[in-house]
């Protein structure tokens, strides 16, 4: 089961354990998979963001949408096409019944039956 929760950054915990209150700011370098901290003495330290490269982290909503973008696009396009066909069919049927007085009388009779 996919748990759609925000991933906790291991690098933050490692840097907090190393330096505590001496951290001025932290940022995530997603390209290298590291968290980088600026310390109050002006130095910079970094820590890996993963415990193990083989560790499978839980999926997030953003990662699910990114991986399944093509699928969701196809489903959306098919839904729009089917909805358009349904609307066109209903509009065509209504237009074909508009000039027929027997159909109007039949529809009025059924509306008062309930």
């Amino acid at each position: 089961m996919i748990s759609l929760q925000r991933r906790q950054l291991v690098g933050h915990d490692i840097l907090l354990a190393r330096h505590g209150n001496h951290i001025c700011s932290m940022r995530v370098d997603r390209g290298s998979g590291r968290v980088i901290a600026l310390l109050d003495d002006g130095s910079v330290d970094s820590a890996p963001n993963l415990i193990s490269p083989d560790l499978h982290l839980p999926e997030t909503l953003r990662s699910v949408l990114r991986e399944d973008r093509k699928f969701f696009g196809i489903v959306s396009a098919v839904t729009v096409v089917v909805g358009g066909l349904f609307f066109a069919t209903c509009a065509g049927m209504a237009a074909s019944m508009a000039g027929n007085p027997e159909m109007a009388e039949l529809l009025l009779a059924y509306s008062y039956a309930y």
Side-chain angles (χ1 to χ4, degrees):
M1 184 171 123
I2 298 173
S3 62
L4 299 175
Q5 57 185 340
R6 186 177 179 273
R7 291 183 180 169
Q8 297 300 317
L9 302 175
V10 178
H12 282 151
D13 293 338
I14 293 171
L15 290 171
L16 282 171
R18 283 185 196 163
H19 304 289
N21 290 334
H22 298 288
I23 298 173
C24 291
S25 66
M26 283 194 272
R27 68 177 178 85
V28 179
D29 183 9
R30 297 199 189 280
S32 64
R34 301 183 72 77
V35 176
I36 300 169
L38 175 65
L39 304 176
D40 56 4
D41 64 354
S43 62
V44 176
D45 191 14
S46 66
N49 206 17
L50 291 176
I51 297 172
S52 168
D54 300 331
L55 180 66
H56 180 68
L57 293 172
E59 299 291 335
T60 62
L61 182 61
R62 183 176 293 166
S63 67
V64 169
L65 290 176
R66 182 174 43 244
E67 292 171 5
D68 295 337
R69 182 176 299 168
K70 187 175 182 180
F71 171 73
F72 288 134
I74 291 171
V75 168
S76 298
V78 168
T79 303
V80 167
V81 168
V82 169
L85 289 174
F86 181 73
F87 181 77
T89 303
C90 290
M93 288 178 63
S96 69
M97 292 183 208
N100 191 352
E102 290 93 19
M103 186 61 69
E105 192 174 319
L106 180 67
L107 289 174
L108 286 173
Y110 274 117
S111 65
Y112 292 120
Y114 294 107

